[in-house]
Structure formats: structure tokens, C-alpha cells
Amino acid sequence: MISVTPIYAGLITLLFLVLSFRVVGARRSTKTSVGDGGNEVMLKRMRVQANCAEYAPIGLILLALAELQGMPMVWLHLFGAMLLAGRALHAWGFGATPQIIPARRWGMYLTVGMIASLALANIAHGLI
């Protein structure tokens, strides 16, 4: 049987690594070892990476739980794609200068929509 969650976990990890390398690049160019050094570019890159680290894990955990409970594969792919697209859109919109507010907004809509939907689905399945 094909597992869905590892696909999205892998793709979101690659996105996180890209965001991490952007932080490392900013650290090198600004010679900032710890913190943001008062540099706005550094701060923005750190927050883009941290935002992904804050939201992606809970989405992936909920996706894995839904998969373990037997959610149909088409729904798992829908929710996985929502999380991936949400995180990518948010990173692009938030990380741009100036920010691309519609991309940031839709990134959060997709991410929060996925998390809320799967939270409710997992609760409902657990109660049945």
C-alpha cells in the first residue's frame, strides 16, 4: 500500500531546508552568529523559517493520524497538498520584499484550513 504522509513530509522538509539555507546565507553575508543582529533581512528570513517550523509539524501529525485511521487517499492528497501549498505560498509572500500579502494570506488560509479540518476529522473519527 502506498503511504501518503511520507510524500508530503519529504516535500515540506525540502521546503524547510530551502528556508534554512536562506537563513544561513543571510548569517554569512551579515556575519551574524546569533539572533538577527538588528538586520531586517535576517529577521525576516528567520521568521519565515520559524513560521514553517511552527505550523508544518502539527499539519503532518494530523495527516499521519488521518492516514492511520484509513482516510481515503484522495482526501489525504488534498490535505497534504493544502499544507504544502499553504507553507510555500506563505514563505514566498512573507519572505518577499515588499511582502506579497495575497500569497501570505492564502498561505495561512490553506494551512489553517487544513489543520482545522483534519483536527475535526480526527476528533470525529475518534468519537465514532
Side-chain angles (χ1 to χ4, degrees), residues 106-126:
W106 276 102
M108 284 309 299
Y109 289 159
L110 288 169
T111 300
V112 172
M114 180 273 192
I115 290 172
S117 296
L118 280 185
L120 294 170
N122 278 295
I123 292 167
H125 190 275

Side-chain angles (χ1 to χ4, degrees), residues 3-12 15 56 59-60 62-64 66-67 71-90 103 106-115 117-118:
S3 295
V4 174
T5 303
I7 296 167
Y8 293 99
L11 292 169
I12 290 170
L15 171 63
L60 290 170
L62 290 166
L63 187 66
E67 184 166 9
M71 181 176 272
M73 192 176 290
V74 67
W75 285 99
L76 293 168
H77 278 295
L78 174 71
F79 287 121
M82 282 176 70
L83 183 62
L84 177 61
R87 294 295 76 215
L89 276 171
H90 185 272
W106 276 102
M108 284 309 299
Y109 289 159
L110 288 169
T111 300
V112 172
M114 180 273 192
I115 290 172
S117 296
L118 280 185

